[in-house]
Each structure stands twice: as structure tokens, then as C-alpha cells.
């Protein structure tokens, strides 16, 4: 098997993690098995003791899942990757591995909602403290550091503000205080940003989004920079049972092969959609890192290989206008999630954040007319025409 470690990213996307099987399969087969037989007692003993490489039980490891993990580790330049049942399984693995009673975590205030909810509603029960701040402001990070701060958890870009954190500078600052840096890289994918190369210790993904990219599975992964960190995280995934299923892994491997092509096309489309939206009279503002109007346009250019394909914007007509827009799109699908081949739209105030208090919405930067779009890989003229028609109805 070819070693693709030193080859280009597209080659790695297609081939990294491949292994030879008995039949010369062109793609990694689905090893849909819960357990693996040992040749004899000594073989079983060697596997359990780690003296020999191999598989024991699919919660601990499986060839199909392992192939995906190897691909992800190469893509993100990590020592190793750990596939999980979902993105939240990946987030939970990180929290459980790195935080103990009395510890403190600093997190981006625009972090993915459930990542904050499980911290504030559950980890608090076990005495973990958390602060939510604008991590794009290094001074705020510095001021938030406490003697018991163990983790700096960054999401960049973070929805819906699309604010960008300088991962390199934030990592340097955190490391001066012995703080571990974790980046949720879901919105960028390794095509646009490699957090471990920028100084982070751990990168994580909801594979549900760009990496799988076809809206047909839920999955997650954690990638560790060092062997020590990898072992720490893997023990938690295995122990708590956050493991992926082999069939899930097979689909993510298939999706990941076209990741670069999909990301490039989607962001070309997104740039055009963002320009269209910004020029529209019924829209108050558009947040997209590819637009010069984005407050951190320069930072995005430096840190990311491209602005991605997530856009948020505010309807001048507020809540009602948001609802009307949702009810008049036809091609652009009214659904949560992101990063798939199809364009999706959602109105947080009436959907994902409908049950959240006014204070909670304010903390998450959810305004009444806020709309979020994940631009897909369709012909962009069709996407723009659909939005144009729907905006006319508002
Ligand atoms: C979707 C998402 C998650 C959670 O992933 P699931 O696969 O839905 O569990 C975490 N972080 C970000 C940024 C996400 O978009």
C-alpha cells in the first residue's frame, strides 16, 4: 500500500487509511461484526496486552472504523483520530477526558448550542465551571483565565456571528498557562483550516456536516496531536461507549473522498449568494467571512484557505419576515444541519432557539430576523433565483 503521508491533500482524501484485504477490494469493506475471533489463547492474551496489533471487539476498534480514523488523522496532521457516534459524542469525549471536578473551561460564546448546554446543565452537576466569552478577543481570554482553567475550547468560525478566533495566538497564550486547546473545526473542515498545525492540541468534528457531506449519517471525530492525548481520549470513547458503527464509517469514508471538491464548489457558490444577499434591500446585514464587510475579513484570509459556505443574515422585517422567507423557499431546503451537497436554510428564532429565553437568545446572538444558510453545490443561479423569489414574497 502506498504511503500518502507526504502527498497532496486530495490524494490523502482518496487514499489515506486504505489497507489491503484478502480479496484486493478497491474500497474499504464494511466489517459489520461486533467481535473478532482469536487464533488461540496466546493470541487473545497478546491482543489484550497490546503486544500484537489487531481487533478484539467493535466498541474498542474495528477495521472499517480504523480506516476512517487513519484518514482523519492524516487529513488533520494528528497522531491519531477517534471516531464517535456523533459530533456530540466527540464533544463529550473531550469534556470527559480533559475536565475533572473543580476544573474550569473557557469557551467561545457563539459555540454550538448543545456543547454549551451539556456543560451548563450537566457538567456543572459534577463541579465543572465554565465561562463563555468572545474568544476572538485575546484580552478577554487572558482576563478569563483562572488558576483552575484546564481547557480553552474554540469554535472558529462560530455561528451565527461567524466570528473568527486567531487559533495560533490563542494557543500560544493558553499554553503559557498550561491550558489545553481544543478547536471544533466542523465549519471549516480540514480543507480550509488545520487547527493542530496552528497550535491546538485537539481538533474535533461533527462528521455529519462537511466531511460526510451527504446528509445521510450522524457522526463525529476527535483528532489528537500527541500519542499521550490520543490515548487519554480513546480510553474515554471506548469506556463510555461513544463508538461509531462500521456502516457509518463506510459512508463517511466514501463522503470524505470528495470533500475538497465539494468545499471548493460550495464556497464559490456561497460567495455569490452572500454578494446577492448583501445587495438586497430587505436584508439588514450579512455575516460571511468572504465579504469585505466581515469585521475579521483579514484574519479569515490569513487563517483559512477560504471563507467556507455558511452565511448568516438579518431580515429587516424581523421575526415575521423570517417566517415568510422560510415558507417561500422551494429549492433551498428548510432544515437544520449544514455542510451537505444540498442548500439548507433555517430561522433560529422560530426553530432551533424557539424555546430559548430572551436572555439565552441574546447570549447566543440570535436576533428575531436572523436566518442561517448552508450553501450547497447546486447551480448557484438556481439557488439565488429561489432566494430572490422567496424574498419577493416577504
Ligand atoms: C452539528 C454540530 C455539532 C454536533 O454534531 P452532531 O453530529 O449533530 O452530534 C458540534 N459542533 C458543531 C459546530 C456542529 O455544527
Amino acid at each position: 500500500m502506498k504511503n500518502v503521508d507526504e502527498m497532496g491533500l486530495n490524494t490523502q482524501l482518496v487514499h489515506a487509511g486504505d489497507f489491503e484485504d484478502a480479496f484486493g477490494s478497491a474500497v474499504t469493506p464494511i466489517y459489520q461484526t461486533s467481535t473478532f475471533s482469536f487464533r488461540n489463547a496466546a493470541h487473545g492474551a497478546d491482543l489484550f496486552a497490546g503486544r500484537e496489533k489487531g481487533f478484539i471487539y467493535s466498541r474498542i476498534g474495528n477495521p472499517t472504523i480504523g480506516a476512517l480514523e487513519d484518514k482523519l488523522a492524516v487529513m488533520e496532521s494528528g497522531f491519531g483520530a477517534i471516531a464517535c457516534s456523533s459530533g456530540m459524542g466527540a464533544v463529550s469525549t473531550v469534556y470527559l477526558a480533559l475536565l475533572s471536578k473543580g476544573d474550569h473551561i473557557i469557551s467561545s460564546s457563539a459555540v454550538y448550542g448543545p456543547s454549551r448546554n451539556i456543560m451548563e446543565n450537566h457538567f456543572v452537576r459534577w463541579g465543572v465551571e465554565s465561562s463563555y466569552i468572545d474568544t476572538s478577543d485575546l484580552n478577554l481570554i487572558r482576563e478569563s483565565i483562572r488558576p483552575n482553567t484546564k481547557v480553552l475550547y474554540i469554535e472558529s468560525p462560530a455561528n451565527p456571528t461567524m466570528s473568527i478566533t486567531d487559533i495560533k495566538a490563542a494557543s500560544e497564550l493558553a499554553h503559557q498557562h498550561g491550558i489545553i486547546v481544543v478547536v471544533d473545526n466542523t465549519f471549516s473542515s480540514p480543507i480550509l483550516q488545520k487547527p493542530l498545525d496552528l497550535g491546538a492540541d485537539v481538533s474535533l468534528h461533527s462528521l455529519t456536516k462537511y466531511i460526510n457531506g451527504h446528509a445521510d449519517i450522524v457522526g463525529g471525530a476527535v483528532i489528537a496531536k500527541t500519542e499521550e492525548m490520543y490515548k487519554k481520549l480513546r480510553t474515554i470513547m471506548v469506556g463510555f461507549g461513544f463508538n461509531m458503527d462500521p456502516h457509518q464509517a463506510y459512508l463517511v469514508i466514501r463522503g470524505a473522498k470528495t470533500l475538497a471538491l465539494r468545499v471548493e464548489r460550495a464556497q464559490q457558490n456561497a460567495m455569490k449568494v452572500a454578494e446577492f444577499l448583501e445587495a438586497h434591500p430587505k436584508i439588514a446585514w450579512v455575516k460571511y467571512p468572504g465579504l469585505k464587510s466581515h469585521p475579521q475579513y483579514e484574519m479569515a484570509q490569513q487563517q483559512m484557505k477560504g471563507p467556507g459556505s455558511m452565511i448568516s443574515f438579518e431580515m429587516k422585517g424581523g421575526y415575521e419576515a423570517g417566517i415568510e422567507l422560510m415558507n417561500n423557499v422551494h429549492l433551498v431546503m428548510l432544515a437544520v444541519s449544514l455542510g451537505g451537497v444540498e442548500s439548507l436554510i433555517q430561522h433560529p428564532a422560530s426553530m432551533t432557539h424557539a424555546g430559548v429565553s430572551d436572555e439565552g437568545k441574546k447570549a447566543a446572538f440570535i436576533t428575531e430576523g436572523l436566518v442561517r444558510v448552508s450553501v450547497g453545490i447546486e447551480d448557484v443561479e438556481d439557488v439565488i433565483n429561489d432566494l430572490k423569489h422567496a424574498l419577493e414574497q416577504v
Side-chain angles (χ1 to χ4, degrees), residues 230-273:
Y230 168 79
K231 285 185 174 158
K232 207 172 188 171
L233 293 162
R234 183 144 205 114
T235 305
I236 296 295
M237 182 284 285
V238 170
F240 282 78
F242 295 134
N243 57 288
M244 184 174 263
D245 176 82
H247 188 251
Q248 239 176 323
Y250 167 82
L251 286 171
V252 183
I253 290 170
R254 187 165 79 157
K257 291 183 189 192
T258 55
L259 178 63
L261 295 175
R262 289 186 282 106
V263 167
E264 278 163 31
R265 170 62 177 261
Q267 78 179 357
Q268 275 171 18
N269 285 357
M271 192 67 220
K272 291 184 184 147
V273 171

Side-chain angles (χ1 to χ4, degrees), residues 73-255:
V74 171
M75 278 155 56
E76 291 254 346
S77 325
F79 171 82
I82 299 143
C84 301
S85 52
S86 67
M88 287 316 298
V91 174
S92 302
T93 298
V94 165
Y95 286 174
L96 287 163
L98 305 181
L99 295 161
S100 302
K101 186 176 173 184
D103 287 348
H104 174 238
I105 177 173
I106 299 172
S107 200
S108 303
S109 38
V111 75
Y112 184 68
S115 302
R116 180 168 182 166
N117 293 346
I118 59 169
M119 187 49 67
E120 292 187 324
N121 295 330
H122 300 290
F123 280 83
V124 68
R125 297 192 281 125
W126 306 306
V128 177
E129 300 169 8
S130 55
S131 303
Y132 292 86
I133 59 153
D134 177 2
T135 50
S136 68
D137 183 342
L138 278 184
N139 285 323
L140 272 181
I141 299 181
R142 195 174 288 117
E143 287 164 15
S144 307
I145 293 173
R146 303 178 189 171
N148 57 340
T149 305
K150 289 283 156 59
V151 175
L152 172 63
Y153 187 100
I154 299 168
E155 206 171 300
S156 179
N159 215 268
T161 58
M162 300 306 288
S163 76
I164 313 264
T165 297
D166 183 339
I167 296 172
K168 200 164 171 219
S171 299
E172 277 166 17
L173 171 62
H175 289 157
Q176 284 164 12
H177 297 266
I179 296 167
I180 296 165
V181 179
V182 178
V183 176
D184 181 334
N185 203 30
T186 301
F187 271 45
S188 299
S189 88
I191 304 305
L192 303 181
Q193 175 171 286
K194 291 194 176 195
L196 303 184
D197 287 346
L198 293 168
D201 304 291
V202 176
S203 173
L204 71 88
H205 284 276
S206 166
L207 300 172
T208 316
K209 316 295 168 53
Y210 288 97
I211 294 182
N212 181 60
H214 293 75
D216 49 11
I217 63 102
V218 168
V222 185
I223 303 106
K225 192 169 188 165
T226 65
E227 181 172 6
E228 188 193 356
M229 180 63 78
Y230 168 79
K231 285 185 174 158
K232 207 172 188 171
L233 293 162
R234 183 144 205 114
T235 305
I236 296 295
M237 182 284 285
V238 170
F240 282 78
F242 295 134
N243 57 288
M244 184 174 263
D245 176 82
H247 188 251
Q248 239 176 323
Y250 167 82
L251 286 171
V252 183
I253 290 170
R254 187 165 79 157

